[in-house]
């Protein structure tokens, strides 16, 4: 049988995600735990992105709900769920939060537009802030104020993802940018779906980027000094993502027909610098 933690490590390593670089400096036990959490997020996200049949996707997410329940009440089958069972008791991870991540993925199957920032905020909370809260438990903290930091940092990360992936999401028929803001900046949904650039679109993206930066600043302002050291993986992720935002902006928000990314070497350099300098 596949070793659950080895499976999670492979899942994380092959993803190429910035998350992988943010926890490479952690001590083994915490690195193993955050890798399992990340692998779970990838598994349920892949259900949404890779299933063409909505009914099958719903069925698979329901299966994952059962697996998470088994983590706490029985013996799950999937290697990732087995790894989560191992770490959930060590790090007191709440079942409700793991299930809430699945709720966020379910939203992707049920809607392709968000009316306003409040509606998008709920989606971002479920798929990212909850992950931030679980991560904070794994990294360790002494001041509960750190959970407010983790919550806001999750929002900032997800909005950065949305900015980066506008074109990619549009090709899947999804637009995460709030409908009322598309209207305010006079950017028709059709324009995004067809990959057409305009000054209005760039202004809309500049507005979203400014919001993301404010969320990063808001998060950092809430991180207590005594927990800064244990929460360094989140700070690494933030440094990588803020650099990515800068690149997207410098490139004139060319996000409809390409996906801006940083090279692995650059991510490692940012990670190392942030870890050692704080």
């Amino acid at each position: 049988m596949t070793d659950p933690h080895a499976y999670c490590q492979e899942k994380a390593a092959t993803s190429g995600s910035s998350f992988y670089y943010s926890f490479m400096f952690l001590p083994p036990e915490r690195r193993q735990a955050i890798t399992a959490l990340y692998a779970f997020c990838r598994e349920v996200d892949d259900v949404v992105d890779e299933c063409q049949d909505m009914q099958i996707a719903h069925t698979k997410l329901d299966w994952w709900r059962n697996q998470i329940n088994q983590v706490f009440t029985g013996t799950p089958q999937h290697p990732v769920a087995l790894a989560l069972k191992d770490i959930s008791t060590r790090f007191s991870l709440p079942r409700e939060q793991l299930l809430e991540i699945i709720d966020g993925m379910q939203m992707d199957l049920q809607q392709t537009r968000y009316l306003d920032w409040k509606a998008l905020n709920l989606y971002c909370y479920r798929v990212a802030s909850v992950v931030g809260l679980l991560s904070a438990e794994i990294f360790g903290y002494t001041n509960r104020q750190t959970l407010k930091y983790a919550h806001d940092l999750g929002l900032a990360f997800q909005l950065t993802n949305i900015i980066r992936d506008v074109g990619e999401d549009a090709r899947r028929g999804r637009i995460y940018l709030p409908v009322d803001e598309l209207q305010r900046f006079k950017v028709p949904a059709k324009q995004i779906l067809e990959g057409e650039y305009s000054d209005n679109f760039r202004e809309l993206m500049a507005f979203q980027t400014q919001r993301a930066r404010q969320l990063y600043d808001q998060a950092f302002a809430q991180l207590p000094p005594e927990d800064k050291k244990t929460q360094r993986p989140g700070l690494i992720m933030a440094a990588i993502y803020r650099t990515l935002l800068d690149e997207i902006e410098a490139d004139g928000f060319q996000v409809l027909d390409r996906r801006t990314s940083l090279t692995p070497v650059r991510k490692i350099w940012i990670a190392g610098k942030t870890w050692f300098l704080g």
Side-chain angles (χ1 to χ4, degrees):
M1 182 183 171
T2 305
D3 173 71
H5 289 293
Y7 178 97
C8 293
Q9 173 65 27
E10 177 69 15
K11 187 83 178 172
T14 55
S15 73
S17 168
S18 300
F19 278 97
Y20 184 69
Y21 298 90
S22 70
F23 42 74
M24 60 195 299
F25 295 98
L26 281 169
E29 188 181 37
R30 294 187 194 277
R31 187 170 67 243
Q32 187 181 68
I34 196 68
T35 301
L37 175 62
Y38 175 74
F40 165 64
C41 294
R42 282 257 48 91
E43 290 286 349
V44 291
D45 191 49
D46 287 349
V47 169
V48 174
D49 286 344
E50 294 174 7
C51 270
Q52 303 299 318
D53 186 312
M54 286 294 140
Q55 193 54 52
I56 291 174
H58 278 292
T59 302
K60 284 190 173 184
L61 287 183
D62 286 342
W63 185 85
W64 271 107
R65 280 184 203 284
N66 180 259
Q67 286 295 290
I68 294 303
N69 286 324
Q70 290 297 311
V71 164
F72 294 89
T73 60
T75 305
Q77 300 161 271
H78 197 283
V80 169
L82 286 166
L84 286 176
K85 186 175 180 66
D86 180 38
I87 67 163
S88 60
T89 47
R90 276 190 274 156
F91 293 98
S92 305
L93 304 184
R95 180 195 330 203
E96 297 72 24
Q97 290 185 339
L98 290 167
L99 290 171
E100 201 150 20
I101 294 170
I102 299 176
D103 290 340
M105 301 303 165
Q106 204 97 41
M107 288 176 76
D108 269 332
L109 299 180
Q110 293 163 344
Q111 63 187 103
T112 57
R113 303 284 191 281
Y114 291 85
L115 187 61
D116 51 25
W117 170 239
K118 184 180 178 183
L120 182 62
N121 198 302
L122 172 63
Y123 171 76
C124 293
Y125 167 74
R126 286 176 169 170
V127 300
S129 288
V130 171
V131 179
L133 295 170
L134 288 164
S135 299
E137 295 291 342
I138 291 170
F139 301 148
Y141 62 90
T142 56
N143 187 331
R144 286 191 64 80
Q145 178 76 17
T146 295
L147 295 178
K148 293 183 177 178
Y149 146 83
H151 172 281
D152 289 350
L153 196 60
L155 292 182
F157 287 157
Q158 190 58 28
L159 186 53
T160 304
N161 279 337
I162 287 169
I163 291 166
R164 179 195 62 196
D165 296 339
V166 171
E168 197 173 298
D169 290 329
R171 287 186 284 280
R172 291 190 172 112
R174 296 187 201 136
I175 299 177
Y176 290 98
L177 304 171
V179 171
D180 65 340
E181 292 169 9
L182 291 176
Q183 292 170 345
R184 190 195 319 166
F185 285 89
K186 296 181 173 57
V187 178
K190 183 172 181 283
Q191 181 185 325
I192 291 177
L193 293 171
E194 293 179 358
E196 296 173 5
Y197 290 100
S198 68
D199 289 341
N200 287 354
F201 173 77
R202 281 182 275 273
E203 285 176 21
L204 170 64
M205 298 313 294
F207 174 79
Q208 302 300 332
T209 299
Q210 182 58 27
R211 173 185 275 153
R213 289 197 177 113
Q214 286 171 350
L215 285 167
Y216 284 114
D217 292 343
Q218 191 174 301
F220 297 150
Q222 296 186 97
L223 178 59
E226 61 267 33
D227 285 338
K228 191 175 179 185
K229 188 173 180 181
T230 57
Q231 295 297 318
R232 277 183 300 190
L235 297 176
I236 287 172
M237 188 70 193
I240 291 172
Y241 261 43
R242 290 185 98 179
T243 303
L244 180 65
L245 264 186
D246 292 343
E247 291 278 318
I248 291 169
E249 184 176 49
D251 201 28
F253 302 107
Q254 301 284 309
V255 291
L256 292 175
D257 57 350
R258 68 195 72 173
R259 190 178 196 264
T260 303
S261 60
L262 306 179
T263 64
V265 170
R266 195 166 177 199
K267 288 178 184 176
I268 291 170
W269 184 82
I270 293 170
K273 179 182 162 189
T274 308
W275 182 268
F276 293 111
L277 298 182

